[in-house]
Amino acid sequence: MDYSVSVQQEDFDVATEYRALRGSDAGTGAIATFTGLVRDSGDLQGVTGLFLEHYPGMTERVIEDLIEQAAERWDVRKARVLHRVGELALCDQIVFVGVCSAHRGDAFAACAFIMDALKTSAPFWKKEITESGEHWVEQKDADLARSQGWEL
């Protein structure tokens, strides 16, 4: 299985990421992707942007481990996770998760698992920026429940 992980401040191009995943593996029959964006609400209303921090080195290792866990459960031929940090504006891309598999079921499941587990396992800290101030975001019970739903 081939995979890559990037944590970066720079934006990314979804089409470029898709083409890199697609490659020329004749055994790939499905590619599932997820792209997360900055929206105008979260814990607070009127969000104007986000600030994301991470634990360099550890963050990448945790994400690599999540990809490896996915590959133990599903047919993952190739995977790519890209997560941005730093200051982000409304509608900016935050995260890209892409998974190649022989079959769509495995691609969908592995992509969803990686994204759900990423939300609760990877050491990222997110601050919402609003016109009235800033607020560090706590882990959501719904995200934790989704992540725990994948446990065997």
Side-chain angles (χ1 to χ4, degrees):
M1 185 222 3
D2 179 25
Y3 65 83
S4 63
V5 173
S6 295
V7 178
Q8 64 190 48
Q9 290 187 349
E10 301 80 25
D11 197 8
F12 54 90
D13 180 68
V14 173
T16 300
E17 297 302 328
Y18 176 85
R19 279 192 300 277
L21 275 170
R22 186 162 187 249
S24 60
D25 179 358
T28 293
I31 301 173
T33 67
F34 172 84
T35 305
L37 309 173
V38 177
R39 64 179 185 271
D40 65 359
S41 64
D43 283 1
L44 303 175
Q45 297 298 313
V47 172
T48 59
L50 297 177
F51 178 76
L52 282 94
E53 292 184 351
H54 77 296
Y55 191 121
M58 180 182 284
T59 304
E60 293 84 352
R61 284 191 299 277
V62 168
I63 296 170
E64 289 169 358
D65 184 57
L66 296 175
I67 294 169
E68 290 169 4
Q69 288 177 47
E72 290 173 5
R73 297 177 71 173
W74 299 283
D75 170 34
V76 175
R77 303 179 75 83
K78 196 171 191 180
R80 171 82 166 131
V81 176
L82 192 151
H83 204 296
R84 294 182 64 200
V85 293
E87 294 183 26
L88 301 171
L90 292 179
C91 302
D92 278 357
Q93 299 176 130
I94 303 172
V95 62
F96 174 88
V97 176
V99 175
C100 296
S101 181
H103 304 284
R104 71 180 181 274
D106 285 349
F108 280 134
C111 187
F113 165 80
I114 292 167
M115 189 60 228
D116 287 347
L118 179 89
K119 294 273 292 182
T120 58
S121 300
F124 287 102
W125 297 275
K126 180 169 64 173
K127 184 182 348 180
E128 293 178 342
I129 312 299
T130 69
E131 291 179 9
S132 60
E134 301 175 346
H135 166 75
W136 287 102
V137 176
E138 298 288 328
Q139 188 173 72
K140 307 276 186 295
D141 289 339
D143 290 334
L144 189 56
R146 282 188 62 86
S147 183
Q148 290 173 338
W150 292 103
E151 293 177 8
L152 295 175

